[in-house]
């Protein structure tokens, strides 16, 4: 089973700031089969990125994903008030698909 | 839209049945798989299994064989059955729409339903 580690656990930031979140895999993820989700309390998780770098439908271009192998990142170029949430990565290279523990972005 | 339904409270050793009602898209769309994911404080998000409208299903090999998925295309619903539940099955259960068998990311999620296992 591929274990995903996300860092940091929590970030305290202000609107307008740029942030880069890390997702590291315990073994190489083939074909860039990695996705990112945003999760806010009381709402379903929202797919942001798939294939490591492809934005999902209706996702603003301030969100971007990159990486390969074992190291992946999600960047938000300029935080908007609605971006404060928990972000999870998920791989779909092998079974079982697994998720990282999440990084919470909170308002400073 | 995906909407989960089922009991909020289940006793240990009982069977849990959850249903996901799908609207706005046909369950029989060839590409899609339909799945269940749960989130618990101790284990985070855990993929349980996914099923195609044809009934072909696959499961998280890390889980015991207590989980079973099924589909009802006439009702545009799919379901999860968990036998012999225990306290570790306490979680929020989400039904999801998965893009495909190869690209197994989750395009759409239901709101989630909290299931508590307690006597």
């Amino acid at each position: 089973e591929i274990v995903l580690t996300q860092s940091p656990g929590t970030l305290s930031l202000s609107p307008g700031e740029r942030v880069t979140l890390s997702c590291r895999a315990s073994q190489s993820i083939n074909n860039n089969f990695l996705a990112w989700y945003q999760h806010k309390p009381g709402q379903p998780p929202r797919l942001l990125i798939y294939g490591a770098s492809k934005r999902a439908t209706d996702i603003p271009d301030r969100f971007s994903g990159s990486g390969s192998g074992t190291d992946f990142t999600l960047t938000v170029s300029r935080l908007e008030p609605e971006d404060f949430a928990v972000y999870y990565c998920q791989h779909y290279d092998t079974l079982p698909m697994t998720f990282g523990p999440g990084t919470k972005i909170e308002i400073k | 839209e995906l909407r989960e339904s089922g009991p909020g409270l289940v006793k240990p050793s009982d069977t849990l049945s959850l249903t996901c009602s799908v609207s706005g898209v046909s369950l029989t769309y060839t590409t899609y798989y339909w799945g269940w994911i749960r989130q618990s404080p101790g284990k985070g998000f855990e993929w349980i299994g996914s099923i195609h409208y044809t009934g072909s299903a696959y499961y998280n090999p890390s889980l015991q064989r207590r989980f079973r998925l099924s589909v009802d295309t006439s009702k545009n619903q799919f379901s999860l059955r968990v036998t012999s539940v225990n306290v570790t099955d306490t979680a929020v259960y989400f039904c999801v729409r998965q893009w495909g068998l190869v690209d197994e990311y989750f395009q759409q999620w239901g709101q989630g339903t909290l299931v508590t296992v307690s006597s």
Side-chain angles (χ1 to χ4, degrees), chain B residues 8 13-14 26-27 36-37 39 42 44 48 58 79 93 110 114:
Chain B
S13 79
D14 280 358
S26 174
L27 210 68
W36 290 91
I37 292 169
Q39 184 184 28
I48 296 170
Y58 60 113
S79 298
Y93 286 75
L114 174 62

Side-chain angles (χ1 to χ4, degrees), chain A residues 32-65:
Chain A
N32 286 341
F33 280 168
L34 187 109
W36 289 91
Y37 301 86
Q38 177 192 69
H39 194 197
K40 299 178 185 178
Q43 297 185 19
R46 176 190 181 195
L47 174 68
L48 299 175
I49 301 286
Y50 64 95
S53 61
K54 301 171 188 175
R55 266 189 302 276
T57 303
D58 295 332
I59 300 303
D61 60 8
R62 65 179 181 274
F63 291 93
S64 62

Side-chain angles (χ1 to χ4, degrees), chain A residues 91-105:
Chain A
H91 88 85
Y92 46 99
D93 181 25
T94 58
L95 291 183
M97 299 172 261
T98 59
F99 291 81
T103 292
K104 181 179 181 180
I105 301 179

Side-chain angles (χ1 to χ4, degrees), chain B residues 1-106:
Chain B
E1 180 186 1
L2 306 176
R3 185 176 297 273
E4 306 89 351
S5 60
L9 180 63
V10 188
K11 290 183 168 53
S13 79
D14 280 358
T15 296
L16 167 66
S17 293
L18 297 174
T19 296
C20 183
S21 299
V22 180
S23 59
V25 61
S26 174
L27 210 68
T28 60
Y29 188 83
T30 306
T31 304
Y32 295 153
Y33 274 69
W34 305 91
W36 290 91
I37 292 169
R38 65 183 182 180
Q39 184 184 28
S40 59
K43 294 204 71 176
F45 282 110
E46 184 175 43
W47 168 72
I48 296 170
S50 301
I51 190 166
H52 192 247
Y53 81 92
T54 56
S56 174
Y58 60 113
Y59 300 89
N60 186 331
S62 300
L63 295 177
Q64 298 173 350
R65 295 186 178 185
R66 300 184 293 115
F67 299 82
R68 186 63 57 189
L69 272 65
S70 60
V71 293
D72 186 339
T73 56
S74 67
K75 295 181 179 178
N76 222 41
Q77 295 176 336
F78 62 102
S79 298
L80 170 68
R81 187 168 179 265
V82 187
T83 57
S84 303
V85 298
N86 57 69
V87 294
T88 61
D89 293 315
T90 294
V92 176
Y93 286 75
F94 295 91
C95 60
V96 295
R97 186 185 83 200
Q98 175 180 315
W99 172 243
L101 185 57
V102 174
D103 292 306
E104 296 159 306
Y105 53 87
F106 307 109

Side-chain angles (χ1 to χ4, degrees), chain A:
Chain A
E1 172 173 321
I2 295 177
V3 177
L4 299 178
T5 304
Q6 292 186 246
S7 61
T10 303
L11 281 168
S12 297
L13 298 168
S14 300
E17 289 195 79
R18 178 186 179 91
V19 61
T20 297
L21 309 182
S22 170
C23 177
R24 180 161 291 176
S26 59
Q27 62 192 73
S28 185
I29 294 175
N30 298 309
N31 301 305
N32 286 341
F33 280 168
L34 187 109
W36 289 91
Y37 301 86
Q38 177 192 69
H39 194 197
K40 299 178 185 178
Q43 297 185 19
R46 176 190 181 195
L47 174 68
L48 299 175
I49 301 286
Y50 64 95
S53 61
K54 301 171 188 175
R55 266 189 302 276
T57 303
D58 295 332
I59 300 303
D61 60 8
R62 65 179 181 274
F63 291 93
S64 62
S66 65
S68 63
T70 60
D71 291 296
F72 298 85
T73 60
L74 174 71
T75 297
V76 187
S77 61
R78 185 179 172 84
L79 283 168
E80 297 289 338
E82 62 268 27
D83 299 336
F84 291 88
V86 184
Y87 292 83
Y88 297 91
C89 57
Q90 173 235 336
H91 88 85
Y92 46 99
D93 181 25
T94 58
L95 291 183
M97 299 172 261
T98 59
F99 291 81
T103 292
K104 181 179 181 180
I105 301 179
E106 61 180 23
I107 299 177
K108 189 172 183 180

